Amino acid sequence: MRTLIFELLKLNSKNYMIYANALFLLVLLSVDFVSPLTVVMAYFLESIIIGIFNVLKMARCIQYTNKQEGGGLGNYSILIFFIFHYGFFIAIQSIFAFSFFEIEGSTFFTDGFALLKNYKALLDLEGMWLLIASIIFTNLLAFIMNFLAEKRYEHFTANELMSKPYLRIFVQQFVVILSGFFLVFLKAGMVAAVILIAFRLVLDLILIGLRENSEVLDRFAAWYADKNEQMSFEKVKKQLLLFTE
């Protein structure tokens, strides 16, 4: 297992941009171009960006399926369902996060339920638009170079992709709240930001490693299937690939 983790985290031609992005954020922090709060909240806003790109992926899958099997505009109705369901999911998590800061005496968030006001306040943070641009760029690059160029829409359905973001977003939001604990309680903003950057670095490296290295993917799937006899190797492999999208 340790060897697998090492393989996933090792610097290579597939993941060097992930390391570069993490270094970019650390440099911005070190020169005070962005505040720790901006970094923490930028990752919080990334949930929305991930959802938007997931809609694009689902739409491309539907387009491909319609072309292969026939179908009309009715097949796109799942996009509407996902947008409302995912939007509600993000809204609930946003209220929880904003209320967390409000309860702890933050003057930045005064009403956890005022979503539009709070999101506008986030966008007004110094350096936020640069971080958002960076997040959009990396997601757009992955969408074009991986999902479209490698025709991954041929291997997944819109239904499968619909559930894909939730686990990742849940984990990410949990770490944002954990970072907020350092930010609010301990007044250790830099620690909070570094923890979040490190977590995202490791998570992204693991996802890219599983997606791009078929040998590592097979070994990890075999290891997990061996530990969980009710899961077949192929099923584990398919779920891992789906999670990495």
Side-chain angles (χ1 to χ4, degrees), residues 5 17 41 46 52 81 101 114 125 139 153 178 210 230:
I5 297 298
M17 283 296 295
M41 290 304 166
E46 186 183 20
I52 292 172
F81 175 79
F101 284 97
L125 285 171
N139 278 273
Y153 49 82
L178 178 63
L210 290 174
Q230 69 276 16

Side-chain angles (χ1 to χ4, degrees), residues 27 107 143 178 187 196:
V27 170
T107 57
F143 176 67
L178 178 63
K187 308 301 180 184
L196 191 51

Side-chain angles (χ1 to χ4, degrees), residues 48-95:
I48 299 174
I49 297 171
I50 289 175
I52 292 172
F53 277 99
N54 202 61
V55 170
L56 296 177
K57 291 178 180 180
M58 291 171 63
R60 185 64 184 94
C61 287
I62 294 171
Q63 183 185 39
Y64 175 77
T65 301
N66 284 352
K67 184 178 180 180
Q68 297 298 312
E69 304 175 4
L73 294 177
N75 290 340
Y76 288 91
S77 60
I78 191 175
L79 298 181
I80 299 175
F81 175 79
F82 173 77
I83 290 170
F84 277 99
H85 190 275
Y86 188 77
F88 181 76
F89 177 77
I90 293 297
I92 294 299
Q93 286 205 326
S94 298
I95 291 172

Side-chain angles (χ1 to χ4, degrees), residues 192-230:
V194 171
I195 287 176
L196 191 51
I197 292 172
F199 168 80
R200 276 304 310 277
L201 173 64
V202 172
L203 177 62
D204 287 341
L205 288 174
I206 290 175
L207 294 179
I208 290 178
L210 290 174
R211 187 175 64 214
E212 301 295 343
N213 192 323
S214 58
E215 181 182 351
V216 172
L217 175 64
D218 288 345
R219 288 164 59 191
F220 191 87
W223 173 83
Y224 189 86
D226 184 60
K227 298 290 183 180
N228 300 269
E229 296 181 358
Q230 69 276 16

Side-chain angles (χ1 to χ4, degrees), residues 85-144:
H85 190 275
Y86 188 77
F88 181 76
F89 177 77
I90 293 297
I92 294 299
Q93 286 205 326
S94 298
I95 291 172
F96 177 79
F98 294 146
S99 298
F100 168 79
F101 284 97
E102 178 192 356
I103 291 172
E104 298 309 322
S106 170
T107 57
F108 192 76
F109 301 113
T110 56
D111 183 359
F113 287 86
L115 295 181
L116 294 180
K117 176 184 176 182
N118 291 332
Y119 273 115
K120 183 180 183 303
L122 293 184
L123 295 176
D124 289 337
L125 285 171
E126 186 176 1
M128 177 60 80
W129 283 105
L130 177 61
L131 297 189
I132 290 178
S134 173
I135 292 172
I136 292 176
F137 175 76
T138 54
N139 278 273
L140 179 61
L141 192 65
F143 176 67
I144 295 174

Side-chain angles (χ1 to χ4, degrees), residues 37 96-97 99-106 176-192:
L37 178 63
F96 177 79
S99 298
F100 168 79
F101 284 97
E102 178 192 356
I103 291 172
E104 298 309 322
S106 170
V176 168
I177 297 298
L178 178 63
S179 301
F181 174 84
F182 284 91
L183 197 65
V184 174
F185 283 93
L186 304 180
K187 308 301 180 184
M190 184 63 73
V191 174

